[in-house]
Amino acid sequence: MVAFFIFGVTTAVGHHLFYNSLRGDPVVETSSNWDLEAFFHGQEWKIRFGTAFAFLTQSLFAEAIDQAFQQTVWVAARNKAITVDGLDAMFSAGSSLWSFFKLEFLKKATLGALLGLIKWLIPLSALVTPATLTVRPSTSLSSSTMSVPAVNFSIIEPLYHFDESVRQTDYAVSNNGITPYLTRILSSVATSLQILPMKAAVPNSTYETTFHGPSLRCSRPEPIIHEAIYWMVKASYNASYNGNPEDLEEFYLHMPWVAFAPTATILQYTHLASKGDPRLGGVVPLTSNITQPHFLTFARTCIAADAYWNDDYLSRIGIAPAMCEGVSGFDEWNARNVTHEYVSTLKYADQLHPMYTYNITSSNYGRIWVWVDNSTTYDCVLTDTVYSARFFYSQSESMQRVDPEYKFAWTENDLHGSYFATANALSNFLTGAIRADHANNVVLQRTRVTESAIFGALNLKSEVGDSAPGLSSRAITPEIRALARGKTPGELIEELSRNLTLSLFSAEQVLSINATEAVVTVSSQGNVYAYASRNLIITYAVTSAVSLAAILVGLMSLIKNGVCHEIGFLTFLLTTRNPRLDSFTLGNSMGAVPQSEKVKKTKLRFGFIRGTHGDIVQPEWQSLKTPSVDVQEQTGPGRVGFGFENEVQPLIKGAAYL
């Protein structure tokens, strides 16, 4: 009994150690279930071993409890007279559940019935413990230094055409040399409000890299630039209505958005109006008859142009249509060779000295001027930027994505020769005007800003018909306003420019595959063993505790019996050698069931049966008064066994029975 319990505890601990050794191990697929590889590594064999542990453990505990049960029922047989039917149920309870439906057994051998029931329930633990080992998907990580892709900003041709037939010929909807390839990328970035994914260089990888790239830096402009933007807005409104600017009152109330890349001419007159140029002999104000036609011409040609227009007005004032040049130089050399010498004069909004000088190429290298709502203006300047971005693998898309929480910092470095392409594409997207008529209808002129989150950052009128600047809530719904996330138009323009640069990683035509090195963390998907140790430990702890309690009861019964009993043929052979029982059961020696009610209802008890002639037991006998010496000598011939209730004397511990 004790040995079986110890062995059961040992196998339970072994089961735990076996499963614990498998925790986190990869699940290995084997070609066969019946070779050595499968035996040592196969998932099926791991389950078989666990089931074997569970079966062996519950069998050992059940056997220990069965031994305790056997000792306990013999105590009940000694203490009380029980019918043959009750004795049959009591001694067969370990092998037949039908015994628990016998009320006499439950009443006269309650402790034995409890132990028998526990023995039947112990195997249930085998339903829990094998299932504590499961298989779950897992991700393992490994890091190494690898070559990763980077944008090659020296590659210009896929983004920009130098062919004169592409640039400067379509006055109304000028592409400024930007290719459809780059236009599609910008459209996707602006409308999706996210950075485009790239083809995965290494599947399931994550890495961080730092690189230089372009972005727009928007700030509040100098007063003279603000004034120039103001006059361009006025000219745009005039071009839209084809009227005289001086006759239009509060025109700015109806122009919530105007954006453009100032041409070299606009930059020249703006600079001369700020300080003058001694070589020209004085200041040229923005309101002069020389300056205003250039503003109006540019507005008619590049900002507020209709799908079809004629140049009668421009011909009458003797001004040719403007070239909508964007933010780049006209010739390939200047586009490829931007240097600090003249970029520094155009780069910062807080510098008034020359935005335009006569000893450099007449071009705008990286400026976009923006008018928003009533009087807010931005001078957005193309700036070299350091990006620190994390690239992660999107399992659902099988693509590499840029973490939107990237870091960036503007630098004072010279602009790279091909940065202008992204600024030009942004200029094409933003340039144009939004006009609100008196009925609060929105009139779009060239600009595509309504396709981006920037549109949601524009002001709203308080109500329909309100004379305050802004757009109607019919134009900017709460859903559109939510896209702006509370950011200003300037912040959103900067974000759009950065997202465009980061989305160039999706443009394979400008991507260098092994351009730089980074520490790449590769995740591998697979199945590993998971072990719910808590469930196994609790199950075996409860089983062990119940078994230990049963064993303690069995040991107490063993001590009370004085000898060890079993339930088997030999035991019943020796304990039923009673001539009266032989006579009583005459005609039933086959032991067939069911037995007669007479036999089943007869009460028997286990004890000392005294006889006078060795083979004939007297029904009348006296109780032993001094059992300490020799029972047989004091009582005459007799034996220990089952007998009728009125012929059995209770056994006395310590007496010498035959």
Side-chain angles (χ1 to χ4, degrees):
M1 181 168 53
V2 175
F4 280 129
F5 174 76
I6 294 174
F7 291 153
V9 172
T10 302
T11 55
V13 173
H15 195 178
H16 164 70
L17 295 177
F18 173 65
Y19 274 2
N20 196 56
S21 68
L22 298 177
R23 191 197 304 263
D25 285 356
V27 178
V28 179
E29 294 186 9
T30 56
S31 56
S32 172
N33 291 332
W34 302 102
D35 55 18
L36 288 178
E37 181 185 6
F39 182 80
F40 288 106
H41 305 292
Q43 177 184 354
E44 293 83 357
W45 280 100
K46 298 293 189 297
I47 296 174
R48 291 185 182 116
F49 292 147
T51 304
F53 269 113
F55 176 79
L56 184 59
T57 302
Q58 62 89 15
S59 297
L60 291 169
F61 281 137
E63 183 60 27
I65 295 173
D66 185 66
Q67 295 291 333
F69 163 76
Q70 294 183 39
Q71 309 311 311
T72 304
V73 294
W74 280 101
V75 172
R78 290 176 52 178
N79 291 340
K80 299 176 183 178
I82 306 175
T83 65
V84 172
D85 192 33
L87 288 172
D88 182 63
M90 185 172 67
F91 285 111
S92 62
S95 59
S96 174
L97 281 173
W98 185 250
S99 300
F100 294 94
F101 293 93
K102 300 299 179 67
L103 184 61
E104 186 182 18
F105 166 51
L106 301 178
K107 290 176 59 178
K108 293 188 177 181
T110 304
L111 197 55
L114 179 61
L115 295 185
L117 183 62
I118 292 174
K119 177 192 173 183
W120 279 99
L121 295 178
I122 282 293
L124 293 178
S125 63
L127 299 177
V128 178
T129 53
T132 55
L133 182 70
T134 57
V135 174
R136 61 173 176 81
S138 176
T139 302
S140 60
L141 303 177
S142 60
S143 298
S144 60
T145 301
M146 299 183 183
S147 296
V148 295
V151 176
N152 187 346
F153 289 101
S154 297
I155 303 176
I156 303 176
E157 286 75 9
L159 309 179
Y160 184 83
H161 284 307
F162 293 101
D163 187 349
E164 292 293 333
S165 65
V166 177
R167 299 176 293 111
Q168 307 177 30
T169 56
D170 185 357
Y171 297 116
V173 195
S174 173
N175 285 325
N176 301 321
I178 296 303
T179 64
Y181 183 64
L182 179 54
T183 300
R184 288 193 300 270
I185 293 175
L186 175 57
S187 297
S188 298
V189 173
T191 55
S192 66
L193 306 178
Q194 60 181 345
I195 303 167
L196 302 184
M198 61 181 287
K199 183 179 179 180
V202 181
N204 300 315
S205 66
T206 302
Y207 60 90
E208 296 183 5
T209 184
T210 300
F211 62 94
H212 286 256
S215 73
L216 292 178
R217 186 178 188 178
C218 297
S219 58
R220 297 301 171 87
E222 306 284 341
I224 189 62
I225 297 178
H226 175 83
E227 185 179 353
I229 297 173
Y230 172 86
W231 279 101
M232 190 61 73
V233 173
K234 191 172 184 179
S236 300
Y237 189 70
N238 170 266
S240 178
Y241 275 102
N242 199 20
N244 189 338
E246 282 72 16
D247 296 336
L248 302 174
E249 296 181 359
E250 296 183 335
F251 67 90
Y252 54 85
L253 296 178
H254 306 286
M255 300 295 287
W257 174 269
V258 173
F260 60 96
T263 62
T265 304
I266 300 298
L267 289 172
Q268 176 187 8
Y269 283 118
T270 302
H271 169 63
L272 295 177
S274 66
K275 285 190 173 181
D277 191 318
R279 291 172 292 183
L280 297 182
V283 175
V284 179
L286 291 176
T287 57
S288 70
N289 293 332
I290 298 176
T291 305
Q292 284 195 24
H294 291 282
F295 278 77
L296 186 58
T297 301
F298 183 83
R300 282 180 172 272
T301 307
C302 303
I303 298 179
D306 297 324
Y308 173 79
W309 65 281
N310 62 72
D311 58 0
D312 289 345
Y313 174 79
L314 299 179
S315 299
R316 289 199 306 270
I317 63 176
I319 301 295
M323 297 295 187
C324 307
E325 64 186 70
V327 297
S328 70
F330 287 160
D331 60 87
E332 180 175 351
W333 188 90
N334 284 321
R336 292 180 180 274
N337 297 279
V338 181
T339 66
H340 181 76
E341 178 182 355
Y342 50 88
V343 170
S344 62
T345 65
L346 303 172
K347 193 172 181 181
Y348 307 106
D350 59 353
Q351 291 183 351
L352 287 177
H353 56 277
M355 290 177 292
Y356 175 84
T357 59
Y358 289 98
N359 60 349
I360 64 172
T361 304
S362 301
S363 301
N364 163 16
Y365 286 91
R367 300 192 96 109
I368 300 176
W369 289 351
V370 181
W371 166 281
V372 178
D373 299 320
N374 185 7
S375 60
T376 302
T377 53
Y378 295 100
D379 182 13
C380 298
V381 180
L382 189 64
T383 308
D384 179 73
T385 308
V386 176
Y387 293 85
S388 296
R390 185 179 74 92
F391 292 78
F392 66 92
Y393 184 75
S394 173
Q395 191 74 36
S396 60
E397 300 172 302
S398 298
M399 302 285 282
Q400 206 90 18
R401 278 199 171 273
V402 179
D403 190 335
E405 299 299 325
Y406 59 86
K407 298 179 181 179
F408 71 95
W410 289 300
T411 75
E412 308 301 323
N413 296 339
D414 294 345
L415 296 177
H416 191 283
S418 63
Y419 282 0
F420 73 90
T422 57
N424 234 2
L426 289 164
S427 173
N428 292 345
F429 187 85
L430 300 174
T431 291
I434 298 177
R435 178 170 59 83
D437 62 17
H438 293 286
N440 292 313
N441 296 314
V442 176
V443 179
L444 297 181
Q445 294 167 318
R446 285 198 57 182
T447 185
R448 297 176 58 195
V449 72
T450 53
E451 302 173 19
S452 69
I454 303 171
F455 186 58
L458 302 183
N459 284 340
L460 284 173
K461 292 178 181 291
S462 59
E463 58 184 17
V464 176
D466 189 353
S467 60
L471 294 170
S472 166
S473 58
R474 293 179 301 178
I476 305 179
T477 62
E479 292 77 13
I480 296 176
R481 179 161 293 278
L483 299 178
R485 296 156 302 173
K487 295 186 177 182
T488 65
E491 292 172 332
L492 293 172
I493 292 172
E494 292 176 346
E495 181 180 345
L496 177 60
S497 70
R498 296 193 300 270
N499 288 351
L500 174 60
T501 297
L502 291 168
S503 294
L504 290 179
F505 281 89
S506 68
E508 296 184 20
Q509 296 184 27
V510 296
L511 209 61
S512 294
I513 302 301
N514 298 317
T516 186
E517 289 189 341
V519 177
V520 180
T521 301
V522 179
S523 61
S524 301
Q525 303 294 328
N527 293 327
V528 298
Y529 291 107
Y531 171 38
S533 57
R534 180 174 177 269
N535 296 339
L536 183 140
I537 292 173
I538 290 176
T539 301
Y540 278 148
V542 172
T543 304
S544 301
V546 172
S547 300
L548 181 60
I551 289 171
L552 293 176
V553 173
L555 290 174
M556 293 174 62
S557 300
L558 179 63
I559 294 172
K560 187 172 183 180
N561 288 330
V563 294
C564 180
H565 288 286
E566 291 184 351
I567 300 175
F569 174 77
L570 180 61
T571 302
F572 288 114
L573 173 67
L574 298 177
T575 57
T576 55
R577 300 300 299 274
N578 185 340
R580 288 198 62 187
L581 291 182
D582 293 341
S583 302
F584 178 71
T585 59
L586 188 64
N588 294 281
S589 59
M590 287 290 290
V593 293
Q595 291 289 342
S596 64
E597 290 297 318
K598 176 184 176 182
V599 173
K600 292 195 295 183
K601 297 299 183 182
T602 300
K603 290 186 177 182
L604 300 178
R605 185 176 178 182
F606 182 69
F608 178 73
I609 306 170
R610 186 179 62 177
T612 56
H613 301 291
D615 58 346
I616 300 175
V617 180
Q618 297 179 355
E620 300 290 337
W621 50 272
Q622 296 178 351
S623 300
L624 294 175
K625 296 181 181 179
T626 58
S628 59
V629 183
D630 188 329
V631 175
Q632 186 170 354
E633 292 180 357
Q634 296 182 17
T635 60
R639 61 177 295 113
V640 175
F642 279 97
F644 296 109
E645 184 179 13
N646 61 353
E647 66 180 7
V648 175
Q649 181 181 2
L651 296 175
I652 300 174
K653 186 178 179 181
Y657 295 107
L658 295 177

